[in-house]
Amino acid sequence: QPTKRYVQHAMWDVRSDLAGWLRDGASLYVCGDMNAMAKDVHAMLLRILADQGAKDEKAELDAIRRDGRQRRDVF
């Protein structure tokens, strides 16, 4: 394809569903490069939660992580 497409683009395309799934208790697994991909996915999660009405997207994502519903295998 002429332009690069990253997982963050796919996440944004389904942001309403993704936010709904997370709010309904879904788990999210992030696996990949710690310095680029994982950081960008984290930023996109915050952006999606904010876009989808989170009062405090950082607190919401922190709660997901504390509940053990976000797993990271980054290297």
Side-chain angles (χ1 to χ4, degrees):
Q1 63 205 24
T3 56
K4 290 187 178 188
R5 182 160 169 84
Y6 296 101
V7 67
Q8 304 88 279
H9 299 129
M11 291 168 61
W12 184 254
D13 291 345
V14 296
R15 63 190 172 274
S16 177
D17 290 332
L18 181 56
W21 295 330
L22 290 171
R23 289 177 177 147
D24 287 343
S27 295
L28 178 70
Y29 297 89
V30 179
C31 180
D33 175 41
M34 178 181 0
N35 296 318
M37 189 278 302
K39 179 178 68 170
D40 294 341
V41 166
H42 180 79
M44 181 56 72
L45 284 170
L46 292 172
R47 182 176 173 202
I48 287 170
L49 292 172
D51 179 78
Q52 296 299 305
K55 293 178 182 174
D56 184 345
E57 62 275 8
K58 291 177 185 175
E60 190 168 332
L61 187 53
D62 285 345
I64 290 168
R65 292 176 83 177
R66 271 194 317 276
D67 291 347
R69 296 187 298 116
Q70 181 188 15
R71 300 288 183 173
R72 295 168 45 107
D73 180 10
V74 295
F75 45 88

